[in-house]
Amino acid sequence: ILNVEQSPQSLHVQEGDSTNFTCSFPSSNFYALHWYRWETAKSPEALFVMTLNGDEKKKGRISATLNTKEGYSYLYIKGSQPEDSATYLCASIPAAGNKLTFGGGTRVLVKP
Amino acid sequence: EAQVTQNPRYLITVTGKKLTVTCSQNMNHEYMSWYRQDPGLGLRQIYYSMNVEVTDKGDVPEGYKVSRKEKRNFPLILESPSPNQTSLYFCASSLSRGLLNEQFFGPGTRLTVL
């Protein structure tokens, strides 16, 4: 089983501040990485699918980078808003397989 | 509206009573998957399917069965549920089998096995 780790497990951010957090995954046999946003009492929603080393993706105030050689991805939230409060999940997909392994998530709470 | 539906949304049952949780998607997606979510353990993949009649085990398949007889449906079967299968279950689908596309998740099924 792949070991996908996210840190920190949780963080509190003041409204308007920017923040970032990490997803670590095995760099060998890498195929793709997914990021999802999961609000309480809802279902996870996709943010990004990343495949190439050096990839950068952006959606509004949220962006992500990918380093496949060292096995990590950063998710950034610029100018955090209360509606950004959610758990952010990453999932790693190895090559020659269609299994996903999720990290434990980073729970973000944005304080007004 | 493009969506993944699951039924039932909530279920309380007793040990050993066979149950099926249905999952259906209307997006003509090839890939479908089941996950369970438990506190402190995150989302774990139970089974997945890359196409009709093609299914494979995820990381926690014990105690579960699936079938994929039609592209749109991917039911999860618990032949003899046990209390350790009490969990929140999500079905998800993705356009292509290679998972280079995002997954769309259903609303979740909260199962309690007494």
Side-chain angles (χ1 to χ4, degrees):
Chain A
I1 297 177
L2 290 177
N3 192 17
V4 180
E5 296 183 351
Q6 292 186 245
S7 62
Q9 285 189 330
S10 65
L11 61 94
H12 291 186
V13 187
Q14 201 64 39
E15 182 176 357
D17 287 351
S18 296
T19 189
N20 65 84
F21 37 93
T22 309
C23 171
S24 300
F25 54 88
S27 56
S28 61
N29 210 30
F30 172 83
Y31 185 65
L33 187 84
H34 291 200
W35 277 103
Y36 293 88
R37 182 171 177 275
W38 191 3
E39 288 183 75
T40 302
K42 294 187 177 181
S43 305
E45 293 183 344
L47 287 171
F48 307 113
V49 176
M50 309 181 80
T51 57
L52 300 175
N53 186 46
D55 226 358
E56 289 189 31
K57 300 263 185 175
K58 187 176 181 182
K59 184 181 284 189
R61 292 179 292 98
I62 301 176
S63 60
T65 60
L66 180 67
N67 184 321
T68 61
K69 294 183 179 179
E70 297 182 42
Y72 64 84
S73 175
Y74 291 133
L75 193 83
Y76 301 88
I77 305 176
K78 184 178 178 182
S80 303
Q81 299 297 309
E83 58 265 31
D84 295 328
S85 296
T87 297
Y88 292 83
L89 300 169
C90 68
S92 178
I93 298 110
N98 284 279
K99 294 171 64 171
L100 286 92
T101 299
F102 279 87
T106 293
R107 186 172 182 178
V108 175
L109 179 61
V110 182
K111 300 177 181 178
Chain B
E1 180 190 355
Q3 60 182 348
V4 179
T5 57
Q6 292 178 231
N7 282 292
R9 295 287 312 279
Y10 303 91
L11 179 60
I12 301 174
T13 189
V14 295
T15 298
K17 186 176 181 182
K18 181 180 178 180
L19 67 93
T20 299
V21 184
T22 64
C23 173
S24 184
Q25 50 91 6
N26 61 0
M27 297 170 279
N28 202 36
H29 284 176
E30 287 190 336
Y31 185 96
M32 296 186 75
S33 183
W34 277 102
Y35 301 91
R36 60 178 291 173
Q37 195 272 329
D38 302 291
L41 295 176
L43 275 171
R44 293 181 293 168
Q45 193 172 35
I46 303 171
Y47 269 95
Y48 63 91
S49 169
M50 288 189 281
N51 214 328
V52 175
E53 302 293 359
V54 181
T55 63
D56 210 343
K57 297 177 181 178
D59 290 325
V60 288
E62 295 78 19
Y64 304 95
K65 287 174 61 177
V66 292
S67 68
R68 188 95 181 269
K69 296 177 182 175
E70 307 164 279
K71 199 170 188 178
R72 64 184 294 128
N73 296 323
F74 190 45
L76 180 70
I77 303 156
L78 286 72
E79 294 269 3
S80 183
S82 62
N84 64 12
Q85 292 178 299
T86 292
S87 189
L88 177 60
Y89 291 87
F90 285 102
C91 179
S93 71
S94 181
L95 178 63
S96 67
R97 62 189 73 183
L99 282 170
L100 293 181
N101 304 97
E102 62 193 334
Q103 288 188 106
F104 291 83
F105 282 80
T109 295
R110 187 165 292 280
L111 172 66
T112 301
V113 183
L114 301 175

